[in-house]
């Protein structure tokens, strides 16, 4: 698929060599226990060894939570891995996050893939049927909101609610309009080709529409809703209520070719091929430290880093138990 709203379309077209399973396992063994590993793409289920990658993090790193972000085009592979996860009984949690970009016509137009909507819904339904009998597993749908699908929030939510599928939202993102203050010498060039935000003046009302949907469905995503409101405030010129505590510190990006970045909005600072795939050595080396010194006053709406910074801020200010404490259960 070549999705209009993907900020990594150039990487998908020209991915370069991919890390092998052995190299990824070395990476997993090299670092302290992770809170979350998000396996993204392209499409992760195209890798024949995806289960072995997941298992490596569950057993060799003891990762607390593995999330696989997918377009839902391979439901049989998803169920196969779900069965293996159930048999593993590692104590880890696993989430399949399936992207839905709108109702059928919109979804398939944005992804240039006829039939992709029905396959994604089939995958969501099949995994949802297994969820109640599979401890530590859940499936959710994610919709990136942009100007092409903004009118379909409520009808898509109605569809997913009828299928008992939890539904989360984010805004389409690109370095050019979702980040501020990143030094030019480290700033990445990652932007969607054909999608953009809805008009800024419409964003507050848009978030309240999403909040009404979430409230109707039980209000289970209150932290996501707070994140959306923070994002809207940033887009409208506001300042973040907390600093970036995650990018290059407790969160980072490993690309398929082994290059490592502090976040998706900054350029890689090193490659695992240069350190025998020892991520811990690279992460604590001089290149990483120099990069962290340059990520001090920038801000962005990237949900992965905004959400983790928000969580850390809540922990540091005593508003929620710290991860790993007895109170958190982590």
């Amino acid at each position: 698929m070549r999705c209009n709203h993907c900020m990594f379309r150039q990487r998908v077209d020209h991915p370069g060599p991919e890390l092998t399973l052995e190299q990824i396992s070395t990476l997993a063994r090299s670092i302290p226990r992770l809170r979350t590993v998000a396996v993204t793409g392209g499409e992760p289920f195209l890798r024949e060894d995806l289960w072995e990658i997941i298992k490596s993090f569950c057993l060799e790193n003891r990762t607390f939570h593995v999330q696989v972000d997918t377009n839902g085009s391979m439901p049989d592979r998803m169920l196969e891995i779900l069965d293996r996860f159930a048999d593993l009984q590692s104590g880890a949690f696993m989430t399949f996050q399936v992207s839905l970009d709108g109702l059928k016509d919109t979804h398939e137009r944005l992804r240039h893939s006829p039939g992709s909507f029905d396959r994604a819904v089939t995958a969501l339904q099949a995994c949802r049927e297994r969820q109640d009998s599979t401890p530590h597993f859940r499936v959710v749908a994610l919709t990136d909101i942009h100007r092409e699908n903004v009118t379909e929030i409520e009808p898509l939510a109605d569809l997913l609610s009828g299928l008992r599928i939890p539904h989360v939202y984010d805004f389409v993102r690109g370095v050019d309009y979702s980040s501020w203050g990143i030094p030019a010498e480290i700033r990445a060039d990652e932007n969607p080709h054909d999608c953009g935000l809805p008009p800024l003046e419409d964003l507050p009302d848009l978030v309240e529409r999403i909040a009404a949907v979430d409230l109707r469905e039980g209000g289970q995503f209150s932290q996501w809703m707070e994140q959306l409101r923070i994002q809207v405030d940033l887009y409208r010129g506001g300042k973040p209520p907390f600093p970036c505590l995650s990018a290059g510190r407790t969160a980072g990006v490993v690309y398929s070719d082994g290059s490592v970045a502090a976040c998706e909005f900054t350029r890689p600072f090193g490659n695992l091929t240069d350190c025998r795939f020892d991520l811990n050595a690279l992460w604590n080396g001089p290149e990483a430290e120099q990069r962290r010194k340059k990520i001090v006053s920038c801000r962005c709406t990237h949900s992965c880093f905004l959400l983790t910074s928000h969580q850390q801020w809540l922990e540091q200010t005593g508003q929620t138990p710290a991860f790993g404490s007895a109170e958190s259960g982590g």
Side-chain angles (χ1 to χ4, degrees):
M1 296 183 187
R2 297 295 183 268
C3 307
N4 289 7
H5 55 289
C6 179
M7 61 180 275
F8 289 124
R9 226 161 69 168
Q10 185 172 348
R11 285 184 179 273
V12 172
D13 288 339
H14 307 286
E18 291 193 359
L19 295 176
T20 67
L21 174 62
E22 181 180 356
Q23 292 165 347
I24 293 171
S25 296
T26 299
L27 177 164
R29 289 192 298 269
S30 76
I31 48 179
R33 186 190 188 200
L34 296 173
R35 180 186 298 204
T36 297
V37 168
V39 186
T40 68
E43 174 48 52
F45 284 95
L46 289 173
R47 281 198 63 137
E48 293 296 327
D49 57 0
L50 177 59
W51 167 244
E52 283 72 22
I53 293 172
I54 294 171
K55 184 170 69 172
S56 179
F57 280 100
C58 289
L59 297 183
E60 299 184 68
N61 180 263
R62 295 179 57 250
T63 301
F64 181 74
H65 174 219
V66 177
Q67 176 174 300
V68 184
D69 298 339
T70 174
N71 58 35
S73 62
M74 305 175 72
D76 291 342
R77 286 273 289 138
M78 294 170 70
L79 293 177
E80 173 194 343
I81 287 181
L82 182 50
D83 287 340
R84 292 186 176 189
F85 174 76
D87 291 339
L88 187 65
Q89 297 183 350
S90 66
F93 289 78
M94 184 172 73
T95 299
F96 289 164
Q97 183 171 273
V98 181
S99 295
L100 277 184
D101 306 318
L103 298 176
K104 181 180 175 70
D105 289 347
T106 299
H107 178 90
E108 296 183 357
R109 173 171 51 81
L110 290 167
R111 291 183 173 260
H112 306 275
S113 180
S116 58
F117 182 85
D118 290 338
R119 288 194 296 272
V121 171
T122 296
L124 284 162
Q125 288 177 292
C127 291
R128 182 63 185 85
E129 289 175 2
R130 301 280 188 92
Q131 179 171 305
D132 292 340
S133 60
T134 307
H136 298 170
F137 168 77
R138 73 169 183 169
V139 62
V140 301
L142 169 71
T143 299
D144 280 334
I145 300 297
H146 44 74
R147 60 175 179 250
E148 302 293 329
N149 64 5
V150 70
T151 63
E152 299 183 359
I153 291 172
E154 289 85 357
L156 182 60
D158 290 341
L159 171 67
L160 291 168
S161 179
L163 299 175
R164 299 187 303 134
I165 304 295
H167 190 195
V168 295
Y169 304 84
D170 198 0
F171 288 109
V172 64
R173 60 180 177 258
V175 175
D176 284 352
Y177 57 85
S178 303
S179 67
W180 303 267
I182 299 176
E185 67 271 19
I186 67 169
R187 188 173 181 265
D189 181 20
E190 306 283 9
N191 292 285
H193 289 213
D194 304 305
C195 263
L197 285 170
L200 294 184
E201 63 269 21
D202 294 346
L203 295 184
D205 178 66
L206 173 57
V207 169
E208 294 315 309
R209 286 169 54 197
I210 297 173
V213 170
D214 182 58
L215 185 61
R216 185 186 68 197
E217 296 178 358
Q220 57 181 317
F221 294 116
S222 58
Q223 190 171 0
W224 276 90
M225 291 311 310
E226 188 168 356
Q227 172 193 295
L228 289 174
R229 290 189 172 96
I230 293 170
Q231 288 173 312
V232 167
D233 192 50
L234 288 170
Y235 278 127
R236 290 168 61 84
K239 300 296 184 182
F242 44 79
C244 181
L245 300 170
S246 56
R249 297 166 178 86
T250 61
V253 182
V254 177
Y255 290 107
S256 59
D257 63 356
S259 57
V260 179
C263 70
E264 290 178 332
F265 284 172
T266 57
R267 297 174 183 172
F269 59 79
N271 196 293
L272 291 168
T273 58
D274 298 327
C275 59
R276 299 175 182 259
F277 306 96
D278 184 339
L279 179 56
N280 196 54
L282 181 60
W283 197 252
N284 291 291
E287 297 90 352
E289 183 57 32
Q290 286 299 315
R291 183 53 51 87
R292 281 189 280 271
K293 289 179 180 178
K294 294 185 177 182
I295 304 177
V296 291
S297 59
C298 52
R299 62 192 192 278
C300 75
T301 65
H302 194 310
S303 59
C304 295
F305 299 91
L306 191 63
L307 191 64
T308 51
S309 289
H310 187 202
Q311 180 64 31
Q312 288 172 245
W313 178 255
L314 293 175
E315 293 174 7
Q316 291 181 14
T317 56
Q319 298 178 62
T320 190
F323 176 71
S325 67
E327 293 87 351
S328 72

